[in-house]
């Protein structure tokens, strides 16, 4: 698909795509490590509590890492949400 799109569009800035993919992969790896630890620590807890905590912690870690790595899409989404809330 990337090859077809590159030909049709005359280039798609592959370097930027790979850089973004690398940053997102780092964030996903960090989230995965945390969730593995969380799952191991929650063996005797209620399933719903474990799932809710995992979702919250995983989301916070992922968001935090992509924020620190300055993924441009995150800043764009936050600007969009901020404009919507200011109405």
């Amino acid at each position: 698909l990337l090859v077809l799109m590159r030909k049709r569009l005359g280039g798609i800035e592959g370097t930027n795509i790979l850089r973004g993919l690398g940053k997102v992969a780092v964030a996903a790896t960090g989230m995965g490590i945390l969730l593995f630890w969380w799952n191991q620590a929650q063996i005797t807890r209620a399933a719903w509590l474990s799932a809710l905590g995992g979702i919250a912690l995983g989301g916070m870690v992922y968001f935090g890492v992509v924020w620190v790595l300055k993924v441009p899409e995150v800043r764009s989404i936050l600007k969009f949400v901020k404009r919507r809330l200011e109405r």
Side-chain angles (χ1 to χ4, degrees):
L1 183 60
L2 285 174
V3 172
L4 294 174
M5 292 302 294
R6 183 175 32 173
K7 287 180 181 179
R8 282 190 112 174
L9 297 174
I12 56 172
E13 300 183 24
T15 305
N16 289 334
I17 291 173
L18 287 176
R19 189 176 299 126
L21 177 65
K23 290 178 181 182
V24 170
V26 169
T29 301
M31 181 180 68
I33 291 169
L34 175 87
L35 290 177
F36 178 78
W37 169 81
W38 177 257
N39 192 36
Q40 296 302 312
Q42 300 300 316
I43 291 174
T44 60
R45 305 266 188 232
W48 69 270
L49 183 60
S50 180
L52 188 62
I55 291 168
L57 286 173
M60 287 188 296
V61 167
Y62 184 83
F63 180 76
V65 174
V66 294
W67 180 264
V68 168
L69 294 177
K70 297 180 181 174
V71 174
E73 291 82 4
V74 173
R75 299 194 189 278
S76 298
I77 291 169
L78 289 177
K79 286 179 186 177
F80 173 76
V81 169
K82 185 178 177 182
R83 280 194 311 250
R84 288 293 219 174
L85 292 176
E86 288 177 347
R87 285 185 176 190

